[in-house]
Amino acid sequence: MTIPAFTRGRVQVMGDGVTGSAQIDFVFHDAGDLAVIATDAQGRNTVWTHGDQFTVSGGAFSTGAIHFDPSLLPAGCYLTIALVSDYAQGYAFDGSKLDTAVISNALDKMALSIQAVEARASRSIAVPATQEGELPLLEVPTSWPKGHVARMGAGARLETVAYDPETLAGQMTSAAGSARAAANSERNAAADAAGALTARRGAEAAEEKAIAARQDAQRFAARAESTVGAPARLISVAPFGGIGSTNVQAALEALDQKKAPAGGVAGNWSVGGTITSGGDLVLRRTEGNTRVRAIAEEGSAFIDADAPSGWSAMFRWLTGGVNRWSLHANANAETGDDTGSNLSLSSYHDDGTASATIFAVDRASHVMRIYSELQVPGQEVGDNSLRTANTAYVAAAQDAILWVRDERPSGEKGGYADATLAWFARPLQTIEVNNIPSASLAENRVTLPAGTYLVHGVAATYATRSTQLRLQDVTNGVTLCEGSAYYARSAEANSGTLCVIGRFVLASAASLEFQQYVNTNADQALGVSVNHGGPETFAEVIFRRIA
C-alpha cells in the first residue's frame, strides 16, 4: 500500500474523566509505533504501557485509536500520542520467489520510520513531545541578514530581528541597576527588621529590670517601715518615659502591662507629696477626666480609709479645692462595746468651713439621728408634693381617722330592726372626727378613698336572739369584716353590745355599710334608751387609714 503524506505524527487530547478513547490521525502499524504519555495538572508525565493503561484499534499502516479507562485521565490532565520507531527492519525473503506483499510492507515500515525521524526532528531544539498545544515551527528563515538574531514571532514561527549591541547593553545595564536597587531595598528592610527585633529585646530586658527594681523597692520599703515604725510614703524621681513628675511606684505600675493603658499613660499626670509627717499624696491631671479605680482581676476590690482610734477616716468632695461634703467615721474614740467611730455626713460653706451635720449613725446602737428637715410625700395617696416630716405631720398621719355614730336625742329608743333574718344597715348619722380627706357619711353609708384601714365598730342590741355585725362594701358587693356572734334572749328581754374589729384594703373609693343580722325584733331592738338628759348613742364606728 502507499503511506499518506506526513502529518506531524502527534495527537493531544484533554481529559474529562468521562471520555475513554482518542483518535489517531496519522498512519501507524501497531502499538510499538506509538508513545502514549499522560500529563497531570502539575505537569508531571507518566508513560503509559500497552496492555496496562491502553489498547489500540486500527493501525496496520492506517489511522486508528487508543482506548483507556476514563478515570486515568481526569479533568485538568491531557494525553499525548506520538509516532515513534525502533528503526529495525523485520522483514526477510526466503527462497527465490519474490513476495510483493512482503516488499510492500517493508517499504511501508521504512516510510513510517522516516516519518518518525521527521516527527522527532520537528520537535528538536528542546521542544518536548508533551508541549501543550501546537508545536512551534522551528524552521530556519530562508533570509537571515547580517547583524540579525532569531526570535519567536507571530504564528509560533522563527523570525529574524536586527541586533544593536549598544541598545542591548544599555537594556542589560538598566536591568542590572534595577536588580541592584531591589537587592539594596531588601537589605535595608532586613536591617530595619533586625533593628526592631533588637529594640524589642532591649525593651523586654528593661521591663524585666524595672520589675526587679520594683520588687527591690518593695523590700526596701518594708525594711524602712520596720525601722522607723511608719510606712514609706513617696520617693521622688526624675521624669521617666511618657510620665511627668512621678514616683518609683507609679513608674513601675506604668511598665506593668496589666495595669497600664494599652496606649501608654495619656494626658499630663503628676504625683506629688513629701515624706514628712502629715504629707499628702496628690494625683493630678491637667486635662481630661480623672478617675481612681480599684480593679481586681481576681477577688474583691477595696478602697479603704484607715485611721487610728480617735482620728477621723473620711471621704471628702471638693469644688475647686474647697470642701463641700464629707462622709466620715468621726473622731470619737473607740472604748469597747462597739462605741466610737460613728458615721456622719456633713456639709460645708462656700469658703470651705464646716456648715452642718446632716445625719449621724451610732455604731453601737445603730440609731440614726437626722439633724436637718426631712421632707416626705403628702398624706394623700398619689400626692407626691413634699411635706415637712415634723411632729405635727406625723401626728396627723397617725390620726387619719373617720369616727361616726348613731346618736339620738335623750330618751329616744333605738327602735325596731329594719329586717328580720336578713342583713340591714345600722343607722349612722353623726360624724365625731374626720381627718381623712374625701371621706364622708350620708344616708347610713360611709364613703372612703382608696387605702388600707383598721376598723373598730360597736352597736347595742336588745331581745334579738342570735345576732351579728359585719362591715359591707356595697359598691363592690364584698364583705370586708365580720364581728363575733351574740345571743340576746327575748324571753328575759336581754340586751348586749355587739362588736366588729378588722383590717381591710380598698383599691378604689367605695361606700360601706355597718350591718346587723337579727332573728327576732322588738321596739328597742337597736338599743335601750337611758334617758339621762344627754344624747343616746346606740352605735359607733372608727376607721383609721394606715396606708
Side-chain angles (χ1 to χ4, degrees), residues 363-377:
R363 190 167 63 93
S365 65
H366 306 151
V367 172
M368 174 184 285
R369 294 177 175 83
I370 299 175
Y371 298 103
S372 61
E373 184 178 272
L374 180 64
Q375 292 186 330
V376 297

Side-chain angles (χ1 to χ4, degrees), residues 101-123:
V102 172
I103 294 173
S104 177
N105 288 340
L107 292 175
D108 289 343
K109 185 67 174 176
M110 184 182 299
L112 289 177
S113 296
I114 294 171
Q115 289 184 359
V117 172
E118 174 62 18
R120 184 175 180 81
S122 68
R123 299 192 303 270

Side-chain angles (χ1 to χ4, degrees), residues 198-481:
T198 301
R200 187 181 69 181
R201 289 175 177 172
E204 291 174 349
E207 182 176 359
E208 291 175 355
K209 292 180 180 179
I211 293 174
R214 179 176 62 183
Q215 294 172 346
D216 290 342
Q218 290 173 344
R219 287 194 295 270
F220 294 152
R223 293 178 185 175
E225 181 177 354
S226 175
T227 302
V228 303
R233 294 174 178 269
L234 183 66
I235 303 175
S236 296
V237 297
F240 178 82
I243 310 173
S245 298
T246 184
N247 58 60
V248 172
Q249 182 65 25
L252 295 175
E253 294 292 340
L255 288 175
D256 190 337
Q257 292 297 323
K258 294 183 178 179
K259 298 178 182 177
V265 180
N268 185 7
W269 289 88
S270 65
V271 180
T274 64
I275 311 179
T276 61
S277 176
D280 295 332
L281 176 63
V282 180
L283 179 65
R284 186 186 304 277
R285 189 180 187 186
T286 57
E287 58 185 38
N289 298 326
T290 301
R291 288 190 301 176
V292 177
R293 297 189 295 172
I295 301 176
E297 295 183 0
E298 293 183 4
S300 302
F302 301 93
I303 297 179
D304 296 330
D306 188 358
S309 175
W311 294 84
S312 294
M314 69 174 63
F315 289 97
R316 291 193 299 180
W317 290 265
L318 290 74
T319 301
V322 182
N323 292 334
R324 287 296 177 258
W325 296 94
S326 68
L327 180 65
H328 60 281
N330 62 26
N332 292 353
E334 298 181 8
T335 59
D337 297 329
D338 295 337
T339 59
S341 297
N342 300 319
L343 182 67
S344 61
L345 175 68
S346 301
S347 65
Y348 295 82
H349 293 297
D350 288 344
D351 61 1
T353 58
S355 173
T357 297
I358 309 303
F359 68 81
V361 183
D362 188 87
R363 190 167 63 93
S365 65
H366 306 151
V367 172
M368 174 184 285
R369 294 177 175 83
I370 299 175
Y371 298 103
S372 61
E373 184 178 272
L374 180 64
Q375 292 186 330
V376 297
Q379 294 172 249
E380 290 295 318
V381 175
D383 179 8
N384 293 320
S385 60
L386 295 181
R387 309 286 181 85
T388 301
N390 52 25
T391 303
Y393 177 89
V394 174
Q398 291 177 340
D399 290 336
I401 63 174
L402 172 62
W403 183 358
V404 295
R405 288 178 168 179
D406 174 14
E407 188 175 285
R408 317 281 183 87
S410 179
E412 183 177 324
K413 300 177 181 180
Y416 286 93
D418 288 349
T420 302
L421 301 178
W423 293 99
F424 64 91
R426 289 286 304 227
L428 296 170
Q429 68 291 106
T430 304
I431 296 177
E432 184 70 19
V433 176
N434 185 5
N435 289 328
I436 302 177
S438 72
S440 62
L441 172 65
E443 298 180 355
N444 302 328
R445 289 186 176 181
V446 171
T447 300
L448 294 176
T452 302
Y453 295 86
L454 297 178
V455 61
H456 186 185
V458 294
T461 190
Y462 173 79
T464 53
R465 300 179 67 185
S466 298
T467 185
Q468 188 177 2
L469 291 176
R470 76 177 184 182
L471 182 66
Q472 185 72 8
D473 178 350
V474 295
T475 299
N476 300 295
V478 178
T479 299
L480 301 177
C481 302

